[in-house]
Amino acid sequence: MEAIKFLKYILSRIGIMIVLTLFSAFAGIVLIPALVTVFPSSTSAFKSFITNSNVDSFIGFAVMLIFFLRLFYDDGKRHAAYENWSWVNITIVYLLMLLVYFIPAIFRDSFSQEGKGDIFYKVLYYPCIWLNEGVGMNYLVSVIIGIGILLAASYCIYLIAYKVYVHKHPVILKSMKSFSTGKTDNNV
């Protein structure tokens, strides 16, 4: 990838991650409880289960995972189609996404004494609450594992989409191999 395109790709994926975090919090806090209210009163046990804060958080996590998988599946296909793939670049994107999501969690305790930033941390890390409160993990561990699961699944689906697309269209694979052998011939 060219440097400017790569920078745009990094910034767009970080932006999408932040927007998906906000949407997953909205889905878990507002949409799911609103949808549960239309169920009949005979399903009160189901309603109370779905509106549990840990289940809402897991639903937010699942929403974020579904969107991530779809997004990076499409990225894998596009990068294969345009022969615009570098495992180093993609790994850098995922590591930067991990850092952007995780670093604010480190400073949570410094704001909790004064009560500032509670809403920010509750919304930003809403998809990881189920790991913290439901499973009983440490806050920082739950954040790193939560985003780690999301990014690892996305990375796997990206590679699968890339490999499937390349094998469906062997012309891409041949041109990539001829390009790499031509590249080594010029260095000799």
Side-chain angles (χ1 to χ4, degrees):
M1 277 188 210
E2 297 172 17
I4 297 295
K5 284 184 180 180
F6 182 57
L7 183 62
K8 286 181 184 178
Y9 182 74
I10 290 172
L11 294 176
S12 68
R13 293 310 172 250
I14 290 172
I16 288 171
M17 178 185 64
I18 292 169
V19 169
L20 281 177
T21 302
L22 296 174
F23 179 72
S24 69
F26 177 74
I29 295 170
V30 177
L31 287 180
I32 299 302
L35 289 174
V36 170
T37 60
V38 299
F39 290 171
S41 61
S42 62
T43 60
S44 63
F46 178 72
K47 284 182 180 182
S48 65
F49 173 74
I50 290 295
T51 57
N52 182 354
S53 65
N54 293 333
V55 174
D56 288 351
S57 174
F58 183 76
I59 291 171
F61 178 82
V63 165
M64 199 167 170
L65 180 65
I66 289 168
F67 278 103
F68 264 27
L69 292 179
R70 178 65 188 131
L71 173 72
F72 287 107
Y73 182 81
D74 186 53
D75 282 354
K77 282 177 37 179
R78 266 189 309 119
H79 289 170
Y82 296 118
E83 300 174 16
N84 195 15
W85 184 77
S86 168
W87 70 271
V88 174
N89 289 348
I90 298 306
T91 305
I92 289 170
V93 169
Y94 282 106
L95 288 175
L96 287 175
M97 288 174 69
L98 177 77
L99 289 175
V100 165
Y101 193 79
F102 179 70
I103 287 177
I106 297 170
F107 301 106
R108 176 182 169 251
D109 292 335
S110 63
F111 291 112
S112 66
Q113 300 292 335
E114 302 164 1
K116 296 179 183 176
D118 283 341
I119 293 175
F120 171 76
Y121 285 106
K122 286 182 181 177
V123 170
L124 184 62
Y125 299 113
Y126 184 77
C128 301
I129 289 174
W130 66 278
L131 288 168
N132 183 12
E133 295 175 0
V135 179
M137 288 185 182
N138 181 351
Y139 186 79
L140 291 176
V141 174
S142 68
V143 168
I144 196 77
I145 288 179
I147 194 64
I149 291 170
L150 289 171
L151 293 178
S154 300
Y155 193 72
C156 289
I157 202 76
Y158 177 91
L159 292 176
I160 289 168
Y162 178 82
K163 296 287 184 180
V164 166
Y165 193 85
V166 165
H167 286 295
K168 280 185 180 179
H169 305 283
V171 175
I172 295 171
L173 188 61
K174 289 178 186 174
S175 68
M176 289 176 75
K177 286 182 180 178
S178 66
F179 176 74
S180 65
T181 57
K183 194 177 190 181
T184 57
D185 291 341
N186 291 337
N187 291 338
V188 175

